[in-house]
Amino acid sequence: MVAFGKKLRESQIKEWQGCYINYKLMKKKVNRYTQQIEVGTQNGDNVLMDFSRLLDCEIERIVLFLLEQQGQLATRLSDLREQQHALLQQPGGSRISELQEAYRAVGCDLLRLLSFVEINAIGLRKILKKFDKRFGYKFTNYYVKTRANHPYSQLRQVFKHVGFGAVVGAISRNLADLQDLQHHQGNYISIYDHPALSHLDPVIDSIRSAVEKLSNSTNYLHFLGRHAFIMEDDLPTPSQDDTADQRYHFMSLLLNLVNTFLYMVNTYIIVPTADSYSLSLGAAATVCGVVIGSMAVAQVFSSVYFSAWSNRSYFRPLVFSSVVLLVGNTLYALAYDLNSISVLLIGRLFCGLGSARAVNRRYISDCVPLKLRMQASAGFVSASALGMACGPALSCLLQTNFKISKLTFNEDTLPGWLMSLAWLVYLLWLWISFREPSLETKEAAVPQEANAGTVSSGLGPLVNIAVEKSFTQPLLVKSEAKQQDEGEDQGCDDIEEDSGEFQKPVTSIVMAYRLLTPSVKVQLFVYFMLKYAMEILLAESSVITGYYFIWTSSSVAIFLACLGLTVLPVNIIVGNYIGNMFEERQLLLASEIMVCFGILLSFQVFIPYSVPQYVGSALITFVSAEVLEGVNLSLLSRVMSSRLSRGTYNGGLLSTEAGTLARVIADGTITLSGYLGESRLLNITLAPALLICISSIIATCFTYNSLY
């Protein structure tokens, strides 16, 4: 364990050593304030005033240095612009290349400056948190609110990277002009007329990624993309991004998203009719919990082997998934004519064994270029949401009853037959159109990454950035995730000294668990809670509405479809508006409280149990859980170790397993509670959901300050 102050000193760029935040001085000040207050020589108001003045001076020093460095970059860009004007009079291929390298060098220096800003921002957050913890005073809220909203705010310069956009724009435009001069013999193509040209150069993409990482603002696309929980490295090397470009194939990505959509349809298409199907086979209606949950039971195991399989191939796991799902749905449909509840459950188990969501996530992470990865991640979430809504909606349309030979086609069996046909068509499409990324390209990415500091790829100074990141990355990635902040010398980061060891993926579930900090464990528990609450709501909806309101399968299907359709609008509102008004940790706690409120409203206290009470409480619970899921996974992607962004035992697998276990336990609870009678089912299943929700709120409160 290495103290933050020591690691800060080790991470400093040598020529800028006197310009970083003086974390050591401020930590000593906090300790001195504590002693003075204990002996009565200082009062709280004077401490707050003195510490505010100290922070203002530190931030002003950082900002003035930023302005000085930006001025130097502007001067260099101005000189390069004059050279570029001279070049237009006497074009020359070698001189164009030299100017391009010079612009890229400015871009790399801007990357170093962004790294400087982020290190100082982390230092500010840590010292503010330490002050709050030591004195039990919400000084952070006061300081940020008063400084960030002031018209002369210097704090905004640190957290909102003011002025960097002009430098990025100049580099981007002039690189595009030089490229046009080199390849189009002077035919001018403006980046303003063709925005796609703005990010052709890898250094521009790297700067854009660094700026986005530093920014605290959000939007719908990024919020929805992080909802997919596809973890990434901070800034990929040019060789890594080139590898992703070579492996990218649009039709393969589309097939990957279709697999996601069909699997979610397959999961929820049986929910409205699972109870009636169980009754027709001689079982209790509440056995629907086992019927629905058996798919999740199998998914606990399938997620692991599909994640491991995706290390070697993407095509074969998707083919296997389609075949297994085809068999599973066929068995599900045949169970009616065979009059066997066992065949029904085996069919659903097969469906769970075909869950390729680990492959879907991994394909986006490995084979989609960085510039398209956020859109692909948002597509993954959208496909899942649409599948969740379409499943019950399709079930509503399958209200018929006829026989062909000895096979029965009714509202219970048609979901199985329809999904069997869908997976057969998908399998043929997959076989014809999917392009397996070459194994050679995949394996080549590792040595290229390892040699990033020594091999020239035509980018000159970009190579040095890869070397410098080996020093700064552990601090930037893990300072928030690993800090325990348990005293003067205990506020530290669990950082591997060997940068090569830091980059290695974990090789076992035990090792992955050891990398989880208390805050990450709490976030996974929150994810478990929301999935448990949602599964209780959805899985028992047909039984509850049938018992209290005598709803038909069609009514249940319409109700569930309407719930599913709220996913994307809610995420648009949170991503575009609410996410920019509040911190994510504030949204996390607020949405947990709303889930708890929705569960409380769902209890049957008054008789008769009314439709408005049920529908209103279900809507509050479901929508709040959807908001909570997006915010929770967004925070997890920031505080989880970057070593869990790759390999078999990655962060996506851990979150999938947590959510799947929640669904298994929830479905088991429904079935076991059914033995006490349908009249008691609602309150008995809601009681553990409420208890888990309250526990997650308490745990979140304890780790609130450690969240990003």
Side-chain angles (χ1 to χ4, degrees), residues 649-660:
Y649 303 97
N650 52 64
L653 176 64
L654 293 179
S655 64
T656 300
E657 293 291 270
T660 305

Side-chain angles (χ1 to χ4, degrees), residues 254-269 295 321-322 325 329 348 351 354 357 360 383-384 386-388 390-391 394 418-427 429:
L254 179 61
L255 283 162
N256 192 65
L257 297 178
V258 171
N259 182 280
T260 300
F261 170 77
L262 287 178
Y263 186 78
M264 294 302 290
V265 172
N266 209 149
T267 301
Y268 290 99
I269 194 171
M295 191 171 179
S321 166
S322 304
L325 281 158
N329 283 287
R348 289 294 287 179
C351 290
R357 287 177 69 81
N360 302 146
S384 299
L386 290 174
M388 183 179 181
C390 286
L394 286 173
L418 178 64
M419 292 313 303
S420 296
L421 178 62
W423 285 113
L424 178 60
V425 172
Y426 174 79
L427 180 60
W429 184 18

Side-chain angles (χ1 to χ4, degrees), residues 14-228:
K14 290 184 178 179
E15 60 267 33
W16 296 350
Q17 279 185 349
C19 305
Y20 286 84
I21 183 173
N22 197 336
Y23 183 80
K24 183 178 180 181
L25 170 65
M26 290 192 291
K27 192 169 72 171
K28 286 182 177 178
K29 279 279 190 179
V30 171
N31 294 332
R32 189 178 305 162
Y33 292 147
T34 305
Q35 296 172 359
Q36 291 174 344
I37 289 178
E38 287 177 352
V39 299
T41 59
Q42 189 67 275
N43 62 55
D45 291 338
N46 290 336
V47 166
L48 293 176
M49 184 175 61
D50 190 52
F51 193 65
S52 298
R53 187 184 297 113
L54 176 62
L55 277 176
D56 290 340
C57 292
E58 288 293 312
I59 292 172
E60 183 178 89
R61 182 165 53 81
I62 294 169
V63 169
L64 291 176
F65 175 77
L66 280 176
L67 294 175
E68 179 186 344
Q69 292 299 313
Q70 289 176 6
Q72 293 178 10
L73 293 177
T75 301
R76 290 168 61 186
L77 287 172
S78 179
D79 293 341
L80 290 174
R81 185 61 184 167
E82 291 180 3
Q83 297 177 37
Q84 189 170 337
H85 278 302
L87 181 63
L88 292 174
Q89 308 301 323
Q90 298 178 342
S94 61
R95 294 183 62 192
I96 292 177
S97 298
E98 290 174 2
L99 270 179
Q100 287 175 327
E101 289 299 323
Y103 276 116
R104 292 183 183 120
V106 175
C108 291
D109 286 341
L110 181 60
L111 275 173
R112 296 170 73 220
L113 195 58
L114 285 167
S115 175
F116 168 85
V117 174
E118 184 159 11
I119 290 173
N120 282 290
I122 291 173
L124 284 172
R125 285 195 293 267
K126 285 182 67 68
I127 198 63
L128 285 169
K129 190 183 76 171
K130 184 179 287 291
F131 188 93
D132 286 351
K133 183 176 180 180
R134 189 65 60 88
F135 296 101
Y137 182 80
K138 294 188 180 298
F139 175 75
T140 301
N141 292 343
Y142 154 76
Y143 189 82
V144 172
K145 183 181 294 185
T146 54
R147 268 60 176 179
N149 295 327
H150 196 276
Y152 304 133
S153 171
Q154 293 179 329
L155 185 65
R156 188 182 304 171
Q157 301 275 346
V158 178
F159 284 100
K160 294 297 182 182
H161 43 80
V162 176
F164 289 145
V167 179
V168 177
I171 297 172
S172 180
R173 187 179 67 82
N174 286 295
L175 281 174
D177 288 352
L178 289 171
Q179 186 173 20
D180 173 61
L181 183 64
Q182 189 174 33
H183 297 291
H184 300 280
Q185 291 78 41
N187 296 325
Y188 180 71
I189 301 178
S190 171
I191 64 171
Y192 303 107
D193 297 327
H194 302 274
L197 298 177
S198 301
H199 301 297
L200 287 178
D201 199 277
V203 72
I204 302 300
D205 279 333
S206 297
I207 294 172
R208 184 184 60 177
S209 298
V211 170
E212 289 176 353
K213 183 173 182 291
L214 182 60
S215 175
N216 288 326
S217 63
T218 184
N219 58 45
Y220 166 61
L221 181 64
H222 284 72
F223 181 78
L224 197 64
R226 290 198 298 267
H227 200 147

